[in-house]
């Protein structure tokens, strides 16, 4: 599994990019919340992760796959792309 994400478009902020990528990859409108992680990636670029709240839209897939909801108690059981530590992201989102 992986979180929605992608590259910034010209003139776009990280928050705008997060909302757009969530919409493009899941069909859902998202109100972007607090930044909970930021890091420089080994192969270049910056990764910024935000909390978010679904505000509209309908869950639908894209060329990248079919999105799905996971119960919070199940996220640590999943195999996340790039060995993402989703448990620590959840902890950061509660602060």
């Amino acid at each position: 599994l992986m979180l929605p994400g992608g590259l910034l478009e010209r003139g776009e902020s990280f928050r705008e990019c997060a909302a757009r990528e969530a919409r493009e990859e899941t069909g859902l409108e998202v109100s972007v919340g607090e930044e909970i992680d930021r890091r420089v990636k080994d192969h270049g670029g910056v990764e910024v992760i935000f909390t978010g709240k679904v505000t509209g839209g309908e869950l639908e897939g894209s060329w990248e796959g079919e999105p799905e909801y996971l119960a919070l108690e199940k996220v640590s059981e999943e195999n996340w792309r790039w060995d993402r530590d989703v448990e620590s992201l959840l902890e950061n989102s509660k602060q």
Side-chain angles (χ1 to χ4, degrees):
L1 296 176
M2 64 185 296
L3 300 171
L7 301 175
L8 288 171
E9 292 182 353
R10 181 176 295 232
E12 189 174 50
S13 71
F14 284 118
R15 288 180 185 284
E16 292 166 334
C17 179
R20 177 181 54 75
E21 288 290 346
R23 182 177 57 254
E24 289 176 0
E25 296 179 16
T26 69
L28 299 173
E29 296 293 329
V30 174
S31 172
V32 177
E34 298 297 317
E35 181 179 319
I36 58 172
D37 193 43
R38 180 183 292 240
R39 68 178 108 164
V40 176
K41 298 177 92 172
D42 292 339
H43 61 277
V46 176
E47 178 180 75
V48 183
I49 298 177
F50 297 94
T51 61
K53 183 175 183 173
V54 174
T55 59
E58 295 207 17
L59 196 62
E60 59 186 43
S62 71
W63 65 272
E64 295 181 282
E66 292 298 318
E68 61 183 279
Y69 283 107
L70 291 176
L72 289 177
E73 59 273 4
K74 300 230 181 217
V75 297
S76 62
E77 299 171 11
E78 297 295 331
N79 183 23
W80 290 86
R81 189 169 182 187
W82 300 306
D83 295 323
R84 185 169 311 288
D85 183 3
V86 176
E87 286 183 39
S88 71
L89 293 174
L90 285 173
E91 278 302 310
N92 289 347
S93 73
K94 295 174 186 175
Q95 296 176 7

